[in-house]
């Protein structure tokens, strides 16, 4: 056997080992993906088969391909783009307002216990009052325009973020605060280096809950006195018996919620590398 033949056999064995390793990694990733999304995939396949074969009434539960076709026409044809933009504007404005109000107030109340004790009863009262029950009051005060829709979303998203921020501040280890003070750290330094980092995981939990709440209240607010928005399209399609379009709008809302959740999880993983963040 020549030296060239030996080299070729070695290279062939190396290539075979790399290919085997590649397929092993691909198999592991595939098993992980199926373990996570297999049930969802099976549900969608069962829905498609049940509707396509008449096991379910296709007029009520249209096939998945009909829903995706309606979504494609609505989004890329432009019919739903304005509705998506308006819905994002409403929920985004309310969410940003809740962040601006809830996080500073929660950080303050979490550190000043007398203020928290004084405000906690009224916060609990407002938290237990459904935002939808107060929506007629907001309409009377602000009218049927954008202000009442944004404010009801703001009202509902405020409390999960505020209460989680307060809880995060209170759960910071007091020994860490005492140690920082012993080493001569000022009050502002203790807040920046100890309290705020310790409260960030709980704040992100509140952000994720508030983002979900914002989308839920968005749907309800757009179903009452609105003529634009994804929630309005759900009701409008149902009234006109455009069931595939109705489900397409519902899927779009679910997709927006998933995108918001993944974005917040990504940000939390970047800012809180020491904590285990699950989706």
């Amino acid at each position: 056997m020549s030296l060239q033949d030996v080299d070729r056999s070695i290279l062939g064995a190396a290539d075979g080992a790399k290919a085997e390793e590649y397929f092993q990694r691909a198999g592991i990733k595939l098993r992980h993906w199926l373990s996570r999304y297999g049930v969802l995939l099976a549900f969608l396949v069962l829905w498609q088969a049940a509707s396509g074969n008449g096991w379910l009434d296709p007029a009520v539960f249209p096939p998945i391909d009909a829903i995706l076709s309606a979504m494609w026409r609505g989004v890329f044809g432009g019919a739903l783009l304005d509705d998506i933009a308006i819905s994002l504007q409403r929920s985004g404005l309310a969410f940003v307002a809740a962040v601006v109000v809830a996080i500073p107030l929660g950080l303050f109340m979490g550190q000043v216990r007398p203020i928290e004790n004084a405000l906690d009863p009224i916060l609990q009262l407002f938290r237990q009052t459904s935002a939808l029950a107060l929506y007629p009051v907001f309409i009377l005060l602000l009218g049927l325009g954008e202000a009442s829709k944004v404010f009801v979303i703001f009202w509902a998203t405020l409390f999960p973020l505020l209460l989680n921020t307060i809880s995060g501040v209170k759960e910071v280890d007091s020994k860490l605060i005492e140690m920082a003070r012993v080493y001569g750290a000022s009050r502002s330094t203790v807040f920046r280096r100890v309290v705020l980092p310790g409260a960030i995981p709980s704040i992100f939990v509140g952000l994720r809950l508030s983002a979900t709440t914002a989308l839920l209240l968005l749907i309800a607010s757009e179903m009452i006195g609105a003529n634009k928005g994804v929630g309005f399209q759900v009701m409008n399609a149902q009234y006109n018996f455009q069931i595939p379009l109705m489900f397409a709008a519902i899927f779009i809302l679910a997709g927006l919620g998933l995108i918001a959740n993944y974005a917040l999880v990504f940000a939390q993983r970047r800012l809180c590398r020491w904590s285990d963040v699950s989706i």
Side-chain angles (χ1 to χ4, degrees), residues 190-204:
V190 171
F191 173 77
R192 288 186 293 106
R193 297 297 182 88
V194 180
V195 176
L196 186 58
I200 282 178
S202 184
I203 291 174
F204 268 101

Side-chain angles (χ1 to χ4, degrees), residues 18 28 32 57 67 79 103 114 143 147 154 163 169 195 216 228 253:
K18 289 181 180 179
I28 292 173
H32 175 73
D57 186 357
I67 296 172
I103 293 180
F154 163 78
L163 295 176
V169 173
V195 176
L216 293 176
K228 280 289 184 181
L253 288 168

